[in-house]
Amino acid sequence: MGETSGTITWRRLEAADFPLLKGWLEQPYVARWWNHETSDEAVERDFGPSMRGEEPSEDWLALLDGRPVGLVQRARIADYPEELDALAAIVPVPDGAVMIDYLVGAPELVGRGFGPRMIAAMVERTWQDHPDAPAVIVPVVAANRRSWRALEKAGFSRVGEGEMEPDNPVDDPAHVVYRVERPA
């Protein structure tokens, strides 16, 4: 079960996936950084709107050889003005840029190189799905070294450092910002 070298495919999150997602959000290594309520109501409240197309973000399940093992949220930065303003205070944000957030849900894959593969696979998909996106930009709480190292391994470069509101109030507002450019 801990094999990380299989094929990564994607499908949009569905309501039937909410119990699985709830379990992932309850994992201590996820809960530490996502700081998400995990009641059934909270999962529906926070993931239902994008699933139904009522919000512009996209929630994608990463499947490893067909088995759901992770989640990537993807959105155009401009669709979220508060995020745009916070990021633009630190780094230039080109029109059409996309941001992602991610988690590895399967505990047996954590620390085994799956995260960078999942991130890189979503970046590749983003170039196909959003032909006008010039870059993917990701802010990460500076203390979350595992997350920003995964970005580096996936081909991202650190382009800035600054303060943003952290997802978890226990965290310092210090963030690092990573970016990958669309290949020429």
Side-chain angles (χ1 to χ4, degrees):
M1 288 293 266
E3 181 59 43
T4 65
S5 63
T7 302
I8 298 174
T9 54
W10 301 96
R11 76 169 170 76
R12 292 293 291 266
L13 186 70
E14 301 168 0
D17 301 314
F18 287 174
L20 175 68
L21 179 58
K22 172 181 161 72
W24 291 348
L25 291 168
E26 290 171 344
Q27 291 289 336
Y29 65 89
V30 174
R32 167 63 188 91
W33 302 108
W34 277 61
N35 190 44
H36 201 284
E37 283 182 60
T38 58
S39 68
D40 293 342
E41 298 76 23
V43 172
E44 159 59 34
R45 175 194 71 219
D46 295 340
F47 294 90
S50 69
M51 180 193 70
R52 293 186 298 271
E54 299 164 4
E55 190 178 316
S57 68
E58 305 165 345
D59 296 321
W60 291 93
L61 277 187
L63 310 175
L64 184 60
D65 292 335
R67 181 173 71 98
V69 294
L71 177 81
V72 176
Q73 293 183 312
R74 180 175 71 180
R76 289 185 181 280
I77 298 169
D79 287 341
Y80 291 88
E82 285 182 19
E83 288 281 337
L84 174 60
D85 291 348
L87 267 174
I90 302 171
V91 297
V93 179
D95 289 343
V98 170
M99 62 184 169
I100 60 171
D101 200 357
Y102 41 84
L103 65 85
V104 174
E108 70 278 7
L109 296 178
V110 173
R112 301 188 50 139
F114 179 74
R117 283 191 62 221
M118 179 179 76
I119 292 165
M122 180 48 74
V123 168
E124 286 305 310
R125 180 169 183 128
T126 298
W127 303 146
Q128 297 164 18
D129 292 350
H130 298 282
D132 60 332
V136 177
I137 302 174
V138 183
V140 179
V141 169
N144 191 350
R145 186 176 190 278
R146 179 173 264 170
S147 183
W148 52 260
R149 288 289 297 135
L151 289 167
E152 290 171 353
K153 291 174 184 172
F156 283 71
S157 298
R158 187 178 294 196
V159 294
E161 298 178 17
E163 292 195 353
M164 295 178 69
E165 187 70 35
D167 289 334
N168 191 333
V170 305
D171 286 316
D172 187 85
H175 278 66
V176 291
V177 181
Y178 281 81
R179 177 174 171 151
V180 66
E181 302 291 323
R182 174 182 291 279

